[in-house]
């Protein structure tokens, strides 16, 4: 068995450092190269390594052929002809690059062919490695794991060397290939039900030498969202819209985007926001004025540091609970109790949730032994039970940005929605994906679209609220993360529109992980004490310690914790999330 370490071998490839949308400079290969994405050049583009593969050579053995084939896979998008030159006519007629891209770890082992009859012209070769991820046709990137194995049939080529007689469908890339030629990309669509907030969609896009990265981003924005947001978001860019050009103007201080197609004047604000935030999030127009044209004529202009309401998190106040009473947190520590009954101490109330702040006022919900109750945080506010039943049968309440309250009735296996403005009681919401699942937690994100669904004690899934009005339902369920069977998830909290914080009790201790819900990439957060609960809003993270009821805040360095309250501080919470 031999191991492919492709970038250290010059026989099968060359590597080019390229700017998307510019010319290329060839670098002789003597080992791996890295480049800084923030290098000099067109600010609308990003530098990257382009793979240059070569055709199979008559003097190559099996190992060289497999190295060359893998390099040709990485270079396929730029030059499909090289990969096809590795295939026999029969294999060429059957093979297609379509379908998901399989991403494997960089180290790949070549298992040599077993002994065969002298009359058998086919050599059975197997590549072995480990799965790293999958890139679907809608550009969704999903981390995976486990052993990867792929067989190949090789035959002697008439001119010498080997050709591949059978090649499984689709491309196989190494993690290094993806790091080199793809970029994590953030796109923004509109919340379908309210259309008052942008919703993040996370994809992996391949950089191209034929266009700037800014154009690659906007061309993808013209397409439907990924499957996780299907029917949950909409767009202000109507079908038929085209990107005619994107260029820098006025010494690089301005970006000019020229569109054509059936643009709607009534959606001008939303279109400006979608384009601005999609470009800014990917560092190709940040801090610059974006001029949007329609057929070369001025259409709208996005100025830096404007339109912030499109990413509104619905309130910045931090709260915590002490003996059943809701307190607000000041900049330096305790700030006092909230107004009304919600600020009074009482037993039997738990799992508090705060609604979107409206004119400085909010509603708070809590689970009790007899159901779920709601109170306004105003002087005359009183607790009112709005969902009746045994409290343990319901998941902790969660608020939607439209003002409705949600919970899952575990006893009757039904998702419930209560609208305080309707005058009616809680009503069922269609949620076919949850049938037969042991739903233990449910939290709606501040974008009003994504929903965290925890099943059992150690699995987190992501869903989305699709449709509008009476037709709204919970759909598009997909797995996000699962812990070891012996572990237990203690708490889950939305941070910003892209990230979940997951607190786990493992055999090794407590673990806090921040997970990007778009691509599953995770980052560990160091802990200095065992935690009981967490709450987050953007970059701000609060946590209650497991002992001593101390309230901590995570520093901006994401490494250190500072005590905000030393004792008698219960579960922290922010509006929504």
């Amino acid at each position: 068995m031999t191991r492919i370490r492709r970038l250290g071998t010059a026989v099968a490839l060359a590597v080019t450092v390229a700017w998307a949308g510019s010319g290329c400079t060839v670098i002789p290969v003597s080992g791996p190269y890295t480049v800084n994405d923030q290098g000099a050049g067109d600010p609308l583009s990003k530098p990257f390594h382009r793979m240059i593969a070569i055709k199979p050579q008559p003097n190559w053995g099996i190992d060289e052929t497999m190295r060359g084939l893998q390099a040709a896979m990485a270079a396929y998008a730029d030059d499909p002809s090289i990969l096809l030159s590795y295939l026999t006519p029969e294999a060429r007629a059957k093979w297609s690059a379509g379908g998901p891209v399989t991403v494997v770890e960089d180290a790949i082992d070549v298992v040599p062919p077993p002994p065969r009859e002298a009359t058998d012209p086919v050599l059975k070769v197997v590549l072995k490695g480990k799965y790293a991820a999958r890139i679907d046709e809608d550009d969704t990137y999903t981390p995976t794991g486990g052993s990867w194995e792929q067989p190949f049939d090789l035959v002697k080529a008439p001119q010498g060397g080997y050709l591949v007689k059978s090649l499984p469908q689709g491309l196989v890339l190494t993690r290094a290939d993806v790091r080199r030629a793809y970029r994590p990309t953030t796109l923004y669509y509109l919340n379908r039900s309210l259309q008052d907030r942008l919703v993040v969609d996370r994809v992996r896009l391949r950089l191209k030498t034929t266009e700037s990265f800014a154009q690659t981003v906007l061309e993808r924005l013209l397409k439907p969202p990924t499957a996780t947001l299907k029917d949950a978001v909409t767009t202000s860019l109507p079908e038929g819209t085209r990107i005619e050009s994107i260029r820098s103007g006025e010494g690089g201080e301005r970006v000019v985007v020229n569109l054509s197609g059936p643009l709607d004047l009534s959606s001008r604000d939303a279109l400006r926001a979608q384009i601005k935030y999609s470009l800014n999030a990917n560092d190709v127009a940040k801090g610059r004025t974006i001029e949007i044209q329609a057929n070369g004529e001025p259409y709208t202009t996005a100025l830096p540091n404007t339109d912030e309401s499109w990413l509104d998190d619905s309130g910045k106040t931090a709260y915590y609970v002490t003996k059943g009473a809701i307190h607000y947190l000041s900049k330096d520590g305790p700030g006092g109790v909230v107004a009304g009954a919600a600020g009074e101490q009482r037993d039997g109330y738990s799992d508090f949730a705060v609604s979107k702040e409206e004119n400085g006022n909010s509603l708070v919900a809590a689970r009790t032994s007899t159901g779920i109750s709601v109170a306004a945080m105003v002087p005359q506010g009183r607790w009112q039970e709005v969902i009746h039943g045994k409290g343990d049968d319901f998941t902790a309440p969660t608020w939607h940005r439209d003002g409705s309250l949600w919970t899952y009735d575990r006893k009757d296996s039904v998702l419930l929605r209560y609208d305080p403005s309707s005058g009616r009681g809680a009503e069922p919401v269609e949620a076919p994906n949850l049938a037969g699942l042991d739903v233990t937690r449910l939290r709606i994100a501040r974008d009003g679209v994504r929903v965290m669904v925890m099943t059992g004690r150690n699995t987190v899934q992501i869903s989305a609220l699709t449709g509008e009005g009476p037709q709204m339902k919970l759909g598009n369920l997909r797995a996000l993360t699962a812990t070891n069977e012996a572990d237990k998830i203690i708490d889950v909290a939305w941070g910003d529109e892209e990230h979940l914080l997951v607190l786990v009790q493992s055999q090794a201790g407590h673990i806090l992980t921040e997970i990007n819900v778009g691509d599953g990439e995770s980052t560990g957060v160091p802990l200095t004490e065992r935690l009981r609960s967490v709450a987050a809003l953007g970059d701000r993270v609060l946590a209650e310690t497991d002992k001593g009821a101390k309230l901590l805040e995570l520093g901006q360095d994401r490494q250190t914790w500072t005590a905000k309250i030393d004792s008698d501080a219960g579960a922290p919470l922010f509006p929504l999330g």
Side-chain angles (χ1 to χ4, degrees), residues 302-320:
L303 300 174
N305 303 317
T306 59
D307 300 320
E308 301 303 325
S309 63
W310 287 100
L311 291 179
D312 168 46
D313 285 323
S314 307
K316 304 292 185 182
T317 307
Y319 301 91
Y320 65 96

Side-chain angles (χ1 to χ4, degrees), residues 107 189 225 259-260 279 281 317 324 337 349 366 370 376 388 405 443 449 467 491 531 539 559:
Y189 294 88
L259 308 176
S260 65
L279 292 179
T317 307
V337 296
Y349 283 61
T370 58
H388 312 289
L405 180 69
R443 280 193 172 182
V449 168
D491 200 9
L531 303 181
D539 291 334
Q559 299 291 316

Side-chain angles (χ1 to χ4, degrees), residues 213-269:
F213 186 56
Q215 180 159 350
T216 299
V217 171
L218 294 190
E219 292 288 357
R220 179 61 183 82
L221 188 63
L222 294 179
K223 299 177 181 178
T226 60
T228 59
L229 292 179
K230 182 181 179 182
D231 299 326
V233 296
T234 186
T235 181
S236 62
L237 294 157
E239 186 176 354
T241 302
R242 294 183 300 279
I243 311 295
E244 297 296 337
S245 64
I246 304 177
R247 59 182 175 83
S248 294
E250 297 183 8
E253 296 300 316
R254 180 180 293 263
V255 176
V256 182
V257 179
N258 185 23
L259 308 176
S260 65
L263 300 179
D264 184 354
L265 291 177
S266 66
S267 61
R268 191 192 308 259
D269 291 346

